[in-house]
């Protein structure tokens, strides 16, 4: 009896360690996949002469915006890991994968857009992020919390983009083109 109890403890202890190391390996892979996909997209876009422009608000240097973007992609990968740990299948995974693809492609479409279009795209990203967090967070709360910083980044981008677009676009333009109206 005592021998089998010790054998059971040894086997289950080894399995727990093996499961923890497998989980850590899955975490590394899940975090690395969005970053690797972004690298491949960057390589392909660079071949066509398109280079990314990153969101760097409040005087943040451009490399800081790039680091922020890559950190967000890593957090999206960690959120996918949290979904796989909960063994979630279905729409939550699809929403997360779709959002990761959109967020990976965003810096490459930024140079092609004017300020109003960019504000609208950032607003669409904010709403997509909100919808994805709602679906993913209900399936795995840890995954939702890992996605929360992205909501702050996309929300700030949407607010700043729409504010700047409104400041320079008629009929709400706060800054006119320099033409003054004649006195009546």
């Amino acid at each position: 009896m005592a021998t089998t109890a010790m054998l059971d403890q040894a086997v289950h202890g080894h399995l727990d360690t093996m499961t923890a190391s497998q989980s850590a390996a899955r975490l590394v892979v899940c975090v690395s996949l969005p970053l690797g996909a972004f690298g491949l997209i960057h390589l392909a876009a660079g071949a066509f002469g398109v280079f990314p422009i990153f969101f760097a608000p409040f005087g943040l240097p451009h490399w800081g915006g790039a680091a922020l973007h890559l950190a967000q992609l890593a957090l999206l990968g960690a959120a996918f890991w949290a979904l796989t740990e909960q063994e979630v299948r279905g729409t939550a995974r699809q929403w997360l994968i779709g959002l990761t693809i959109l967020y990976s492609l965003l810096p490459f479409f930024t140079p092609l857009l004017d300020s109003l279009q960019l504000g609208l795209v950032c607003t669409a990203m904010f709403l997509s992020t909100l919808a994805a967090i709602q679906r993913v967070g209900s399936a795995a709360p840890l995954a939702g919390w890992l996605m929360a910083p992205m909501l702050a980044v996309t929300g700030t981008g949407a607010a700043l983009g729409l504010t700047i677009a409104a400041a320079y676009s008629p009929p709400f333009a706060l800054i006119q083109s320099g033409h003054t109206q004649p006195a009546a």
Side-chain angles (χ1 to χ4, degrees):
M1 253 320 175
T3 307
T4 59
M6 288 181 4
L7 181 61
D8 286 340
Q9 288 176 350
V11 169
H12 291 302
H14 177 66
L15 290 176
D16 290 340
T17 305
M18 198 160 127
T19 304
S21 64
Q22 287 176 345
S23 179
R26 279 194 301 270
L27 175 62
V28 169
V29 168
C30 288
V31 167
S32 300
L33 279 176
L35 297 172
F38 180 78
L40 290 175
I41 293 168
H42 191 285
L43 185 65
F48 293 106
V50 178
F51 296 101
I53 294 180
F54 297 99
F55 176 61
F58 310 120
L60 189 68
H62 295 293
W63 62 265
L68 182 67
H69 189 81
L70 293 175
Q72 292 300 312
L73 286 174
L75 285 174
L76 287 174
F80 190 79
W81 167 80
L83 282 178
T84 59
E85 289 296 303
Q86 296 288 325
E87 298 180 1
V88 174
R89 303 257 185 242
T91 60
R93 279 189 180 192
Q94 294 167 354
W95 273 90
L96 185 56
I97 290 170
L99 184 66
T100 304
I101 291 169
L102 286 175
Y103 201 63
S104 295
L105 292 174
L106 180 64
F108 299 101
F109 287 107
T110 300
L112 307 174
L113 306 173
D114 65 6
S115 62
L116 178 62
Q117 292 170 338
L118 185 58
L120 293 175
V121 166
C122 286
T123 303
M125 279 297 297
F126 173 71
L127 294 174
S128 298
T129 302
L130 191 62
I133 286 177
Q134 190 270 334
R135 284 165 177 82
V136 171
S138 65
L142 176 61
W145 282 108
L146 288 169
M147 293 173 67
M150 187 177 170
L151 189 64
V153 170
T154 57
T156 304
L160 288 175
L162 290 178
T163 301
I164 290 173
Y168 290 99
S169 301
F172 308 110
L174 301 173
I175 300 172
Q176 299 298 325
S177 63
H179 302 292
T180 58
Q181 297 293 329

